[in-house]
Amino acid sequence: MRVFRRGLATVARFAIDAQAAERCFCAFHQASVLAPSRLKRVADAERRVVRAWIPFWVFEAHVSARFVGEVGWSQPVRRWDAGTGRFEVHWSTHWKSTDEWHVLEGVHSADHPRMQVCASFDHHPHYMEAAKGPFASRTVEVDPANTPGVEWETFHVRKDAAWDACSRKLQERYLQKAEQELMGLYQAQAVRNLKLQIQFGRRKAKPVYFPAYLMQFKHLNTDFTAVVGGISGKVGSEVFYSTWKVAALAALGMSAFMGPGIPMNATAFLIQSFMCAPAALAMGWVAARWPIFMAYQRRMQASAGAYQHQEEHQQEWEWQQRHHRYEEQWREEQQKTRQRQAKQHWTGRKQVQDPKGYYRTLGLTQVGDSVSLDDVKKAFRHVAMRKHPDREKDPARKQKLEEEFKRIVEAYHVLRDPEKKRAYDRSFE
């Protein structure tokens, strides 16, 4: 799924070129003394640089939070200690409930990384932090057909799922702020039983593509992909270690640790280094392959996130598919009904009325004998799919749909029964 409006995509433009992105990538690894020398070279023929636009959902929201809890102060308490046979000083926490509700409010802009949710499962969110930044307010619309040489990542995450992730971050943030607020107001040292009631007011969502460079390379015959922000130059990557550098450092450390108990000279130092060599090489081997394990674990987490997202929205997706299918069948049946009625001649019979609105409730445009039982069943399936209460998450809207659905079921129970339908039609002729 790609979110293009009127054939255009909302993007933040690249601010650095591919050479600058490679320099940022190498500088990231040069900061580690133990990194392999190959990753520190700017020019590497085995490294492939891909320009890409990463999909994000960005949100703006007004948040109002009410909170109450218990605050505590540590104080010394003298207690009798049977073991020592005297009074000992122990520290105890005195708790007091804050009966007054306090309020926190805030407006969160789309430029804050907390309000930006990566919508792609192709990369782990840990790497995507490098692509975030205060760029959402400086976006433009471009035609994807006019951007050769740039890879467009796919939107995998729906807007409501992205908002769930964003709202969880906001709740965690406001829990921390509420705890700090209570400790500051009451000069307390601890907080417990914190209750938070959070409401989201004005909210806006926008699909945006953020620029990034994907650094594809091999390390120990394993494929890796690092992310370099196309504007900030931040790097999202694993930290790599050289086997020999880690082994040498481990050998020196173990020799220094063993040295104080042994008379030290150059010969003894070399002997100790050789004695420590097997353990040091083992540590270097493990350290060099640790990023492989971490990358595999993060790929599994990304796959699990994609599977969980699919499972959570499978029911809604099935509802939508059935709804679209019934809508198509409904349109076809309605068209056939209009064509059939257009061929019929007016018989002069008095038109049957619909005073209780049963036909109108099911969305039927005709009444009386011109409506068959199959028409009633198809109309009920169509309107039930569209107005079922389980599809609505808002409590107020769900209650309203429940009342409408009761009316729909009542109309269906009358019109699906031939005797009840005939009596209903005759009673108002």
Side-chain angles (χ1 to χ4, degrees):
M1 179 182 69
R2 289 187 172 90
V3 182
F4 298 152
R5 293 179 298 177
R6 305 185 304 277
L8 301 177
T10 304
V11 304
R13 292 191 179 276
F14 283 87
I16 61 175
D17 55 12
Q19 290 76 16
E22 284 201 82
R23 289 194 294 270
C24 293
F25 175 80
C26 295
F28 174 81
H29 292 288
Q30 286 172 0
S32 175
V33 179
L34 302 178
S37 301
R38 185 174 63 84
L39 296 179
K40 299 181 181 181
R41 294 196 297 266
V42 176
D44 191 346
E46 297 183 0
R47 188 186 305 139
R48 180 169 174 259
V49 183
V50 179
R51 285 165 54 95
W53 264 310
I54 310 297
F56 279 83
W57 285 105
V58 297
F59 298 94
E60 296 180 3
H62 178 271
V63 181
S64 177
R66 300 172 66 246
F67 59 94
V68 68
E70 295 182 8
V71 293
W73 299 268
S74 296
Q75 56 187 7
V77 178
R78 297 189 63 191
R79 295 177 182 172
W80 176 258
D81 192 333
T84 60
R86 59 183 180 182
F87 285 97
E88 299 287 349
V89 177
H90 299 274
W91 287 91
S92 177
T93 304
H94 173 68
W95 296 99
K96 178 183 176 182
S97 176
T98 60
D99 298 330
E100 180 183 358
W101 286 82
H102 303 275
V103 179
L104 283 175
E105 292 187 351
V107 178
H108 298 267
S109 169
D111 284 337
H112 197 285
R114 191 184 298 114
M115 308 300 291
Q116 300 167 359
V117 180
C118 181
S120 173
F121 287 129
D122 294 335
H123 311 283
H124 194 271
H126 172 74
Y127 303 138
M128 291 297 103
E129 292 295 323
K132 294 182 179 181
F135 324 126
S137 59
R138 304 197 302 268
T139 56
V140 295
E141 291 187 342
V142 299
D143 187 354
N146 297 331
T147 56
V150 181
E151 182 177 308
W152 292 84
E153 296 280 345
T154 304
F155 267 86
H156 295 133
V157 180
R158 297 168 57 88
K159 180 174 67 173
D160 51 354
W163 171 247
D164 290 342
C166 181
S167 61
R168 284 195 297 268
K169 293 180 181 178
L170 288 174
Q171 287 179 342
E172 293 174 0
R173 175 58 179 163
Y174 272 85
L175 275 173
Q176 296 175 359
K177 292 178 67 176
E179 184 175 347
Q180 296 172 0
E181 188 76 11
L182 287 178
M183 292 176 67
L185 286 174
Y186 295 93
Q187 300 297 315
Q189 297 171 333
V191 176
R192 72 177 184 182
N193 296 335
L194 182 62
K195 298 179 182 179
L196 180 70
Q197 296 178 358
I198 188 168
Q199 293 182 347
F200 300 100
R202 298 182 302 273
R203 188 181 71 188
K204 295 181 181 179
K206 183 171 65 172
V208 177
Y209 289 88
F210 284 166
Y213 289 94
L214 306 180
M215 301 290 176
Q216 300 174 353
F217 59 95
K218 279 184 174 293
H219 177 66
L220 298 178
N221 295 325
T222 304
D223 294 326
F224 287 90
T225 300
V227 179
V228 180
I231 299 178
S232 63
K234 296 180 181 178
V235 179
S237 171
E238 299 290 344
V239 179
F240 298 90
Y241 302 98
S242 169
T243 303
W244 301 107
K245 292 180 180 180
V246 173
L249 183 63
L252 289 174
M254 286 187 287
S255 299
F257 178 76
M258 296 170 60
I262 302 175
M264 184 56 61
N265 53 41
T267 304
F269 183 79
L270 290 175
I271 293 173
Q272 289 183 10
S273 299
F274 281 112
M275 290 173 59
C276 300
L281 286 173
M283 294 177 64
W285 188 90
V286 172
R289 283 151 182 81
W290 182 254
I292 300 177
F293 170 74
M294 292 300 298
Y296 174 78
Q297 185 181 25
R298 283 176 174 152
R299 280 196 295 269
M300 292 300 100
Q301 290 175 354
S303 301
Y307 178 77
Q308 182 180 2
H309 178 268
Q310 182 180 1
E311 286 293 317
E312 290 176 351
H313 296 276
Q314 182 69 22
Q315 184 177 4
E316 182 180 355
W317 180 82
E318 291 176 354
W319 267 102
Q320 291 179 351
Q321 293 299 315
R322 289 198 296 267
H323 176 61
H324 294 327
R325 187 166 59 250
Y326 286 135
E327 271 193 340
E328 292 177 0
Q329 295 176 358
W330 171 259
R331 293 192 191 99
E332 292 177 1
E333 292 298 328
Q334 287 292 314
Q335 185 177 2
K336 291 179 182 179
T337 301
R338 286 193 295 268
Q339 291 175 355
R340 185 174 64 251
Q341 292 173 353
K343 294 179 182 180
Q344 294 176 351
H345 298 287
W346 176 252
T347 59
R349 285 172 42 178
K350 187 177 180 181
Q351 185 181 4
V352 180
Q353 298 181 359
D354 185 22
K356 290 190 176 182
Y358 286 165
Y359 290 99
R360 187 171 62 256
T361 300
L362 296 181
L364 293 165
T365 57
Q366 301 295 322
V367 295
D369 296 337
S370 60
V371 179
S372 65
L373 296 180
D374 289 338
D375 294 335
V376 173
K377 293 178 180 179
K378 291 176 183 177
F380 173 72
R381 286 199 298 266
H382 172 76
V383 73
M385 287 293 299
R386 191 159 47 89
K387 294 189 176 182
H388 200 283
D390 291 343
R391 299 190 61 204
E392 186 62 43
K393 296 182 179 179
D394 184 33
R397 177 64 180 164
K398 185 173 184 178
Q399 185 178 3
K400 184 178 179 181
L401 284 180
E402 287 177 352
E403 297 297 329
E404 294 183 12
F405 196 73
K406 290 179 182 178
R407 176 73 175 171
I408 293 169
V409 173
E410 179 185 351
Y412 177 64
H413 281 319
V414 172
L415 298 182
R416 76 172 180 176
D417 189 293
E419 295 298 329
K420 293 181 180 179
K421 180 177 180 298
R422 194 176 300 113
Y424 176 73
D425 294 339
R426 280 201 309 265
S427 60
F428 297 104
E429 288 183 350

